[in-house]
Amino acid sequence: MRRIPRAACVRPAHHLSLRPASRSHAVPFSSTGRCRKDDTDREQPAEADRKEWPLSERIRSRIWGVPLGQAPGREDPYDPNSPMRRQGAAEESGEKRKWLWRTGKKEGEEEEVTELERAEDVSETPEYQEAKTWDGLAWVGGEAFVEAMKPSPKYRKYGPATQLQETDDIHEALHRAVVEVLILREEGEDLVKACHAPITPELNWASSVAVQPSEDGESVTLEYHEPMARTYILELMKSNNESQSAADAEGKEGGVEDQEVGAEDQRAAAEEEQLAAENEQPTADEEHVTVEEEQVASEEEQQVTTTPGKASNAFEGYRHSNWMAVPLSDMELKFAVIKRAMQLTGIHVSDPAINDINTVGNLATAMITPPPPKKLAQHLAQSEELAELPNVRVFGRRVTPIDKEKRIGRWKIIEEELRRLDLPVTGHR
Amino acid sequence: MASTRQHRRGLASEAAISHKNSTTSSNISTNVADSPLTRHVTYSGVWHPPTTAPTDTVIATAYRFPMMIPERFVAYSASHLHLPLRRDILHRAIVYEGDKTRQGTASSKHRTELAGSGRKIRPQKGMGMARLGDRKSPMLKGGGVAHGPHPRDFSTDLPRKVYDLAWRTALSYRFRRGQLVLVDGKAELWSAQGAFVRNVFSTNGWGRAAGRSLVITMEKRPNLFSGLQAAPRMGEAYTWNDVDVKDLLSMGRLIIEKEALDKILKRHQSDLTKTYKIVTTTP
């Protein structure tokens, strides 16, 4: 068989390079009309002119065998003026991809469809044609699609959105829990009803109550520095009582079945209702108020109805007396106080800590004590004994030779020298 | 044998202290025995031990899941949830479980098990080459395996009482470190969405940063189980009869339904029940 030499069947590069400059900018690649005979009568630019072009463009023109500026394909993507480097170009293309994915359109269809969508009524546009088949239409549906489109139900932990951090705040909340639970005990009510009252600090009427345990811890005396405090505290619990239990019940029922609205949403909605109801409650239930208190109440009435809470508290009960000595040996009392305190502070008290708690003071300590540090270095950094020693310092990580050099200011010079000698700055070659 | 005595005490002496029940004065009894077959102490009515708090019971809080609302206190015997840490016993239990779960199916063929002729390949002498028997010889390619593995049972023995003690030691270890979260009722979620599970677990500090969590339930809870499959970094969920001692110790904490915990404790107290006989109290 006769063999044709390879060089003979391929057109030499210099033939290709003699095409006229028919286009002044980079064009998309097309395999047609590129090597026509009349394209070949063009002069090569002078060498000096070539040098004005960037290297990448020169190489591209060589590769394609075309005059400078005629190379097909994209422009140099590394050029600072390249549209690919323009700020926001990447985001735009990303957005476009997303849009194409969402609508299920292909790349070319984009312009046309966007115009159609802009029209107020699509069916009125002259280009509109009703689809007779599903070919080319976007697919929506399927289990995975439905799953992805479902809104995730909200979740909020028991208690406030953020944990209390300040010791004073925690003491105040704890004092409030103790007062509320003790009042309920005096009333002979279920002690956990304390948790039916709202947790907002503005409604903390308990701060006007001083708690005074007896020496032997057998009894506790409550001193009211605000005559209506007891009534208000009880009212707040009662006003929340029904709606709270309703919210709880809804939470249990809707919990598993209703996936769109979590129990917490319903609970939050119920709480809002409660807060709204609180504005009216103190005036509505005046039958419980004794005759002597009514005179005081009439003065306070206006304030309570307008502002649903906090009295003008000059007295802050948690700063007075030794209320922290109140014993928590009664399990029912202990549970109610801890539950209410966890609700008010958002601080979780662990079971081993609960077993060690005998007084309110123990509970306060358990709540205020921060969790132990997770790293040894953090633990050592807290040690006062080590901090006092002049020759001991604690670091968060291993002290490397580089750290030592940095400390005496020699590292910059070492690094510079290493770079100059083309040696690795860190690690080995 | 102080520890053993402590274990024997308070057997089956679990008393549920419910704030709901306490006011309605349902009889809640705690049976405590100092020595086998002897003393019984009964608290009836409201659980009220302020003067002599029993040291052989511990209080655990039962929470409503996943809101983590404290629902009630539950008392457990110290021999159930407050045992001292015994690393040696835990180690023995884990080795025992590991041995028991080995598949032991590795298999190879000895020369006697291979198919083929027993004809001698070449004469014993006179060829100037090594002596050889048949084609199934272990030194030939395609021959049998001389000392290869064969299917066998790797399981080892562990006294039942030691294994049961290990179970309760593992649970006690979790309890003592505050890593036992007791769930009142069902540990079920409102949604099986991975995003929701991640939200719940990370809000409560149960996620990957805190060592993940093992949720143990009485039965399969559909949303929880599939939700944790969608969010495996948060933890895993098993039913109570699918876990072993190693599982109890492997993650950051246990979130366990009270009913499941009771089942586990009931099943793993042979060292208590065998040495102690429950006598019903008579007025």
Side-chain angles (χ1 to χ4, degrees):
Chain A
M1 193 178 76
R2 190 186 161 209
R3 291 189 64 186
I4 303 167
R6 188 172 289 270
C9 60
V10 176
R11 211 167 175 162
H14 68 269
H15 282 273
L16 291 168
S17 66
L18 295 173
R19 292 187 314 144
S22 57
R23 285 177 286 244
S24 59
H25 54 84
V27 290
F29 173 74
S30 166
S31 59
T32 57
R34 193 147 296 263
C35 302
R36 291 202 308 268
K37 178 107 178 48
D38 54 349
D39 283 353
T40 55
D41 307 324
R42 194 190 178 283
E43 288 176 13
Q44 275 279 48
E47 196 59 29
D49 292 342
R50 283 190 72 83
K51 289 215 169 156
E52 287 176 10
W53 289 84
L55 176 67
S56 59
E57 201 55 37
R58 278 183 273 152
I59 290 174
R60 287 174 72 233
S61 76
R62 286 267 189 227
I63 289 170
W64 285 99
V66 294
L68 277 164
Q70 297 289 314
R74 284 177 172 169
E75 298 172 31
D76 177 15
Y78 302 105
D79 189 84
N81 297 324
S82 163
M84 294 183 73
R85 300 201 73 171
R86 199 160 43 80
Q87 205 168 12
E91 288 91 317
E92 275 174 24
S93 63
E95 282 300 311
K96 187 178 161 188
R97 266 206 307 280
K98 271 189 211 162
W99 184 85
L100 287 170
W101 176 82
R102 273 208 307 275
T103 51
K105 300 290 180 306
K106 288 172 189 166
E107 189 86 24
E109 298 169 13
E110 178 197 356
E111 291 298 325
E112 184 189 340
V113 177
T114 320
E115 278 168 21
L116 279 178
E117 282 179 351
R118 275 183 204 141
E120 285 178 7
D121 187 358
V122 178
S123 58
E124 285 177 7
T125 54
E127 296 86 6
Y128 174 75
Q129 281 184 341
E130 194 182 348
K132 300 293 182 193
T133 64
W134 60 35
D135 296 335
L137 295 179
W139 279 93
V140 177
E143 282 180 17
F145 179 85
V146 171
E147 194 61 30
M149 288 297 128
K150 269 183 192 169
S152 177
K154 285 177 188 169
Y155 173 76
R156 220 190 70 200
K157 215 179 146 187
Y158 188 55
T162 51
Q163 277 189 357
L164 297 189
Q165 298 292 335
E166 298 297 322
T167 307
D168 262 8
D169 295 343
I170 296 171
H171 281 171
E172 190 177 356
L174 205 48
H175 177 266
R176 181 178 176 182
V178 172
V179 170
E180 288 173 351
V181 172
L182 287 176
I183 287 176
L184 280 173
R185 192 167 74 165
E186 284 179 4
E187 292 286 317
E189 298 263 1
D190 190 2
L191 300 189
V192 285
K193 275 186 185 169
C195 302
H196 294 174
I199 62 172
T200 43
E202 290 75 25
L203 294 172
N204 181 12
W205 291 92
S207 63
S208 62
V209 181
V211 182
Q212 190 64 52
S214 63
E215 288 292 324
D216 54 359
E218 287 291 319
S219 61
V220 180
T221 318
L222 299 179
E223 294 168 15
Y224 296 91
H225 290 252
E226 168 67 51
M228 292 299 288
R230 185 188 177 92
T231 315
Y232 292 157
I233 288 169
L234 286 170
E235 287 301 333
L236 285 174
M237 289 167 197
K238 277 177 194 165
S239 64
N240 281 268
N241 200 350
E242 285 176 11
S243 40
Q244 172 81 16
S245 53
D248 281 359
E250 280 171 1
K252 275 176 181 167
E253 284 170 13
V256 180
E257 291 162 14
D258 189 355
Q259 300 197 335
E260 300 237 336
V261 185
E264 183 53 25
D265 289 343
Q266 295 164 355
R267 197 191 172 108
E271 272 175 14
E272 279 173 22
E273 285 173 21
Q274 292 154 19
L275 285 174
E278 276 153 22
N279 289 338
E280 302 158 14
Q281 280 291 344
T283 50
D285 277 351
E286 280 186 354
E287 292 166 8
H288 301 293
V289 184
T290 56
V291 181
E292 291 91 1
E293 283 169 341
E294 263 179 4
Q295 292 172 347
V296 188
S298 59
E299 292 167 15
E300 302 255 340
E301 209 169 60
Q302 195 60 35
Q303 184 196 350
V304 172
T305 44
T306 50
T307 57
K310 192 90 170 190
S312 53
N313 279 324
F315 184 80
E316 288 176 319
Y318 70 97
R319 294 189 193 277
H320 301 274
S321 74
N322 55 342
W323 59 277
M324 285 208 191
V326 172
L328 291 179
S329 45
D330 179 7
M331 286 294 139
E332 208 185 342
L333 182 77
K334 185 176 181 175
F335 177 80
V337 169
I338 289 176
K339 180 173 179 175
R340 180 65 171 153
M342 280 165 73
Q343 187 192 24
L344 290 171
T345 59
I347 299 169
H348 177 256
V349 187
S350 70
D351 283 340
I354 287 175
N355 277 283
D356 293 340
I357 287 170
N358 294 316
T359 62
V360 175
N362 296 151
L363 177 58
T365 311
M367 286 194 147
I368 289 161
T369 311
K374 288 184 178 174
K375 295 202 167 190
L376 175 66
Q378 296 166 352
H379 186 73
L380 294 176
Q382 289 176 3
S383 161
E384 287 178 13
E385 193 183 350
L386 285 178
E388 284 170 6
L389 295 174
N391 58 342
V392 173
R393 276 187 294 170
V394 179
F395 295 93
R397 58 177 175 80
R398 186 174 75 87
V399 180
T400 64
I402 295 178
D403 291 330
K404 287 176 182 166
E405 298 292 355
K406 273 182 184 166
R407 210 171 301 146
I408 56 176
R410 206 160 53 185
W411 177 246
K412 273 184 206 164
I413 300 156
I414 295 174
E415 191 181 5
E416 204 173 283
E417 189 64 12
L418 285 169
R419 286 190 195 285
R420 193 182 67 76
L421 296 172
D422 196 23
L423 288 168
V425 177
T426 54
H428 304 282
R429 176 160 287 233
Chain B
M1 291 299 288
S3 62
T4 317
R5 239 188 109 209
Q6 197 187 6
H7 305 164
R8 284 178 186 162
R9 251 192 233 171
L11 126 96
S13 65
E14 177 201 322
I17 304 163
S18 163
H19 58 83
K20 287 169 190 163
N21 292 341
S22 58
T23 46
T24 54
S25 81
S26 64
N27 281 346
I28 302 159
S29 64
T30 306
N31 298 325
V32 183
D34 270 340
S35 63
L37 303 172
T38 52
R39 200 159 65 89
H40 296 270
V41 181
T42 305
Y43 303 107
S44 57
V46 178
W47 201 86
H48 190 71
T51 48
T52 55
T55 52
D56 45 7
T57 56
V58 285
I59 304 295
T61 317
Y63 296 90
R64 194 197 307 170
F65 189 85
M67 295 290 296
M68 298 310 290
I69 303 173
E71 287 291 311
R72 56 183 172 136
F73 279 159
V74 184
Y76 278 96
S77 158
S79 61
H80 283 158
L81 280 190
H82 213 246
L83 290 176
L85 176 60
R86 289 282 304 273
R87 293 171 68 94
D88 54 336
I89 286 179
L90 293 178
H91 180 254
R92 285 180 71 182
I94 288 170
V95 169
Y96 164 71
E97 286 170 353
D99 288 347
K100 206 169 63 170
T101 44
R102 279 187 74 167
Q103 210 169 1
T105 51
S107 181
S108 59
K109 280 193 162 62
H110 190 252
R111 63 188 300 169
T112 56
E113 294 163 331
L114 279 180
S117 165
R119 183 178 65 88
K120 192 168 174 70
I121 293 174
R122 56 177 176 247
Q124 179 77 358
K125 295 174 79 73
M127 301 286 284
M129 295 166 79
R131 298 172 290 182
L132 271 182
D134 57 24
R135 288 191 186 282
K136 296 182 289 184
S137 163
M139 62 168 284
L140 291 180
K141 184 188 170 194
V145 179
H147 302 290
H150 292 284
R152 65 183 170 119
D153 182 7
F154 282 91
S155 59
T156 49
D157 290 337
L158 187 72
R160 178 67 201 243
K161 290 181 182 179
V162 176
Y163 188 53
D164 285 352
L165 181 59
W167 269 88
R168 287 179 285 113
T169 304
L171 290 168
S172 301
Y173 170 75
R174 289 300 191 190
F175 180 81
R176 281 168 174 277
R177 294 170 68 95
Q179 294 168 345
L180 187 84
V181 180
L182 200 61
V183 174
D184 201 27
K186 296 176 183 175
E188 178 60 312
L189 297 169
W190 311 317
S191 161
Q193 277 181 284
F196 178 66
V197 176
R198 275 189 287 276
N199 193 2
V200 170
F201 274 62
S202 52
T203 306
N204 285 294
W206 296 338
R208 194 175 184 227
R212 302 169 82 222
S213 302
L214 174 68
V215 191
I216 304 174
T217 58
M218 265 310 277
E219 291 157 11
K220 277 207 167 184
R221 309 290 175 214
N223 285 342
L224 176 81
F225 277 59
S226 53
L228 276 173
Q229 275 179 351
R233 286 184 160 204
M234 296 294 118
E236 287 172 30
Y238 293 112
T239 51
W240 71 278
N241 47 4
D242 276 348
V243 290
D244 58 14
V245 174
K246 191 177 176 181
D247 291 331
L248 298 183
L249 297 168
S250 60
M251 289 188 210
R253 70 203 47 70
L254 302 179
I255 301 164
I256 185 167
E257 290 178 4
K258 184 188 172 293
E259 213 180 330
L261 178 64
D262 294 348
K263 277 271 188 190
I264 288 174
L265 289 175
K266 194 179 174 189
R267 178 174 276 195
H268 297 289
Q269 54 176 356
S270 64
D271 54 326
L272 302 174
T273 47
K274 291 279 174 64
T275 55
Y276 179 69
K277 190 179 171 188
I278 302 173
V279 182
T280 50
T281 51
T282 48

